[in-house]
Structure formats: C-alpha cells, structure tokens
Amino acid sequence: MFTNKVYKLSPVFIQNILLSSRAFIRKKLRENKECEQLTKELISHDYDSEALKQYQSKTLKNVLTEAQRNIAFYQRFADDINRFPYIDKAEVNSNKDKFLSPNKSGVIIKGSTSGTTGAPLSIPQNMQSVITEQAFINRMMHWAGIQHNDKRAWLRGDMIVPQEQKKGPFWRYSYFENMILLSSFHLAQKNLDGYLNAMQNYGVQAIQAYPSSIVTLAKHLESNDTYYQGTLKSIITSSESLSKEDKALVERRFKCTVFDWYGLFERVAAIASCEHGRYHILTDYAHVELLPAGKAENGRDRAEIVGTNFNNSLYPLVRYKTGDHVLLSDEISCPCGRVFPIIDSIEGRMGDYLIAEDGQKVHILNHIPKGVSGLLGVQFHQEEYMKIRVLVTCNNDFTADQKLKLVCNVKERLGSKIDITIAIVDDLVRTKNGKVRQAICTL
Ligand SMILES: [Zn+2]
C-alpha cells in the first residue's frame, strides 16, 4: 500500500487514515477468539515443562504425519523425524512444488525470504498460520510486559514515508493500534532528534524496532551523552542480529529491557530473550535441532539451527538447515523460571561476509569496530577481491587517529595487504525492507 500512488500523493492526515484503516482490517483478521485462546495456551507452557513437552511431541507428530500424507517430497519417509533428510534453501527452491500441500482452501498469503543467501524462497501460508504466528507475537508482548492498549512505536522498515522525501515528519500514526510508525529509511544524523522527540511527545510505552534502527538512536543518545526522556516498559527487536554490546547500549540509553526475537520467514525456529537476558529456544514454535559446527573464538560450542515448522501445513519444512548459528550455553535453568532451553547467543546471519586476503569467507565481523571512538554505524562493501570500502556514520570523536585504528582493525581481521577506504556518509545502505546489512559482498 505504501508504495502506491494514492498513498504517496495524499496529505499526511489522509495517509494516517489510510494506514489506520489497513491496520484495523489486519488486526480484525488476525486477533480473533481463536488467537486469544491459543495465546493463553502458549503462555501456560512457560513455566510447565510437562505441558510444554506434551504440546511439543503432539504437534511434531501431527506435522510429520500430515507431511507424509500430503506432501510429495515427504511421501517416502516414516514417522520418525530422524529418518527425514536434512534440507536447505537451495533444495527447497529446486523442488518448489513438491513441498506444497494440495489442501489449499481459504485465503492464501504469499511472502518470500529476503534472499541474503542464495535466491529468495517464496512460501505460501494460510490464514491459520497467520493467526498462530500472531499468538506467538502476543506471547512475546506478554513477556515484555506490554498490554493491549499501550502506546507503541514501530520502527521496522514499513515505507510509510516515500524514500525520496527529504523533509519530515518521518512518522505516521495508526489510531486503532495506539501506534506511531517511524520510517527506517530516514535515519540520517540530522533527523534523529526529531525521531526521539516524536516518540517522547506521543508518550510511547514500548518500542518495536529493527536492531539497526534502534541502535542508531541509542548511539546518537550516547554520543550526546544523554538518555531517552520518556518512560518505557520495554523494547522488542527482531529481524536482524543484535550483538550483546548493542543490546546493552540500547538498554542503557533507553533505560529499559530489550526483548530480542530471532525468527525467520521459513518459520522453522524462534528464539526469544527474556527479562534476564537469556535466549530461550521456543520449543512450542518449532522443533529445533542444533547441529555441531565447531568452536567459537571464546571457546563456546557453535551449532547450526535446523528446524521443522509447526505452523505451516500448506508448506511444511522438516529438518530445514537455516545456515544461522548459535553459541551454546552451559546454563540449564533461567532465573526467569521459564522452562525453554537456553542458548548463549545468536551469531550474525551467515549471509553477511567478506572475502579475506587468503580467499576465505569471514562471517563474524562484529569485532572490527570495537575500540574505535565516534562510530555510530559501520557497513562493509566489497566488489573486488583485495578491496574493501567501509561506510561509516560518526560524530566528531571519529578523528584521523580513530580512522587509522579502524583501518588497522579491518586489516587485522582480513589481511594486511587489503586496500581499505573509509567513506563518511549520512546513512548506511538499506535493503528494500529498510534493514542494514553488516556487509555487502558481490564476489
Ligand atoms: Zn529466562
């Protein structure tokens, strides 16, 4: 809707009405009695390991039986999940129709993965999947202490303000949801105070944001040695990776807890952080297997997330290798009391990498900006072997010395002979969904 001509050419107050009406219809479709019921059931698992186990095994059994019965790709496999083969995005893409259930009744919603690794994968879902997904979102809100009518800010890449528009306001309002929606595409340094004021003036009680968008605001607050002036219950982040350092920074500057959610469009796994900062694998959302994948630099065991979706009977994926990695934890219980298994952290998406001097792909780039002052954002671009361009948003503390330090850090990680250029920009390059990728490598 946001890219059509009528919306784009309308005055701001009409845009608010259009956007609010659309949100109203979506809300009515998703948040029905069934969704409410399921949300309650999900919440009841949180502290009850027996109920969780039962729900988990019952759902997995149903998924496998249905898959075997209806899905061409799975017809030759038995009930035991260990007999199903591992699959990945490339395999699904080359057998697209073989994963589709013939039981296509009702509304079908199509969407696709972002395609940071390989070709995008298009996945259909029915209304039931949308409602179930909503119940899991509701539970996350419950974890974060957010109530139904709380005022919320939404900073998540909806193109509510045309990208070419250079003058604010860069936010709109969704009246029935008590929500201010802010554009992720206009987060240039000179606009940031306006964003913070808009949320404060609206009296926002919770924020739902892309990590890159909220971190940009937190770094801005830090660089002005100030704090968010409103009172927040919590912040929910999702859809990009959020490092431990950035999470702590956002919590400090916005003076509330960040609840981070890892999910993916394939819906084969969900991991959520609680008020004690532990990441819990939501074993009622999907069946997750953790395949050993070596050791991290800090000595922790690394594992790849492999998942089986519980919630898409139209397009079930069993033992789907995500390519995303987690680091394992030795903790078996969390002070929050919830019974879901704990992992230490989620590593960056495997899609973002650079090619080092020795020709190897380097995925973990979080360490490169460490210890460099004045940096607000960093993004690596590589179009040629042995050449890397680093885009930087910064404040005045990013002096010539710091620039040199950044160059040294890149060389230390990727090779001393690599040619590095640093470019100071207003804003980093965003995807069409408003996300910021850590690295864009076209080699
Ligand atoms: Zn916990």
Side-chain angles (χ1 to χ4, degrees), residues 143 274-278 280 334-338 342:
W143 283 27
C274 68
E275 61 275 26
H276 290 276
R278 271 42 164 214
H280 292 281
C334 179
C336 78
R338 294 186 187 88
I342 302 170

Side-chain angles (χ1 to χ4, degrees), residues 187-424:
L187 286 164
Q189 289 303 311
K190 62 180 189 303
N191 299 333
L192 300 183
D193 284 327
Y195 276 75
L196 293 163
N197 289 334
M199 292 196 287
Q200 283 157 194
N201 294 340
Y202 187 62
V204 159
Q205 293 162 285
I207 301 175
Q208 287 166 275
Y210 279 163
S212 61
S213 299
I214 198 76
V215 168
T216 299
L217 291 173
K219 289 197 171 164
H220 178 67
L221 288 167
E222 187 187 41
S223 103
N224 292 316
D225 197 19
T226 180
Y227 296 87
Y228 183 72
Q229 296 301 310
T231 306
L232 294 169
K233 290 182 171 180
S234 53
I235 294 175
I236 295 183
T237 51
S238 64
S239 310
E240 293 170 326
S241 41
L242 175 67
S243 70
K244 279 185 178 173
E245 293 80 7
D246 283 348
K247 186 166 179 272
L249 171 75
V250 173
E251 291 184 328
R252 211 160 50 238
R253 292 293 155 181
F254 283 87
K255 296 180 290 185
C256 69
T257 307
V258 170
F259 292 79
D260 186 35
W261 168 278
Y262 162 91
L264 58 176
F265 192 77
E266 291 91 329
R267 308 258 193 262
V268 293
I271 301 172
S273 75
C274 68
E275 61 275 26
H276 290 276
R278 271 42 164 214
Y279 280 92
H280 292 281
I281 300 176
L282 304 180
T283 47
D284 48 4
Y285 181 93
H287 176 76
V288 172
E289 298 170 58
L290 295 173
L291 281 193
K295 274 205 187 293
E297 278 168 13
N298 63 9
R300 286 198 181 274
D301 288 324
R302 178 185 285 127
E304 181 180 357
I305 303 171
V306 177
T308 297
N309 62 24
F310 280 174
N311 174 29
N312 192 350
S313 57
L314 195 57
Y315 210 81
L317 299 171
V318 179
R319 302 190 106 187
Y320 179 87
K321 293 179 76 173
T322 62
D324 292 339
H325 288 171
V326 297
L327 299 187
L328 303 185
S329 165
D330 357 293
E331 285 186 298
I332 42 168
S333 68
C334 179
C336 78
R338 294 186 187 88
V339 293
F340 301 102
I342 302 170
I343 53 147
D344 176 71
S345 52
I346 302 158
E347 283 196 325
R349 293 289 171 97
M350 298 309 282
D352 290 354
Y353 60 85
L354 295 169
I355 305 290
E357 193 176 310
D358 59 6
Q360 295 293 314
K361 281 184 185 177
V362 174
H363 289 280
I364 313 296
L365 306 164
N366 292 340
H367 301 297
I368 293 176
K370 268 188 195 162
V372 181
S373 309
L375 283 180
L376 301 174
V378 177
Q379 186 176 51
F380 305 96
H381 291 247
Q382 188 175 34
E383 277 144 28
E384 263 178 71
Y385 172 60
M386 294 300 282
K387 271 193 178 171
I388 290 170
R389 194 161 164 262
V390 188
L391 301 191
V392 161
T393 53
C394 59
N395 63 21
N396 294 335
D397 295 342
F398 188 64
T399 55
D401 280 0
Q402 297 304 314
K403 197 168 164 181
L404 209 60
K405 194 166 181 190
L406 179 59
V407 172
C408 285
N409 287 2
V410 182
K411 291 193 170 198
E412 202 170 283
R413 190 84 178 95
L414 297 155
S416 59
K417 295 198 183 75
I418 293 189
D419 178 25
I420 318 269
T421 47
I422 308 268
I424 295 176

Side-chain angles (χ1 to χ4, degrees), residues 24-90:
F24 180 75
I25 296 166
R26 284 165 63 117
K27 198 171 152 71
K28 279 277 158 230
L29 285 172
R30 289 168 188 213
E31 297 187 41
N32 55 13
K33 269 259 154 330
E34 192 187 345
C35 180
E36 209 177 292
Q37 202 63 44
L38 185 57
T39 305
K40 274 190 197 144
E41 187 181 356
L42 295 179
I43 290 171
S44 74
H45 297 160
D46 282 2
Y47 305 98
D48 185 341
S49 54
E50 203 42 50
L52 179 66
K53 221 194 266 167
Q54 274 177 23
Y55 180 94
Q56 218 266 347
S57 61
K58 182 186 79 188
T59 316
L60 178 62
K61 194 163 185 276
N62 284 347
V63 167
L64 297 182
T65 312
E66 290 279 303
Q68 201 186 3
R69 188 180 301 152
N70 298 326
I71 306 298
F73 187 87
Y74 289 122
Q75 257 153 23
R76 58 206 159 92
F77 302 109
D79 302 337
D80 181 358
I81 188 154
N82 296 314
R83 300 219 185 131
F84 281 69
Y86 291 119
I87 53 169
D88 59 14
K89 192 189 230 174

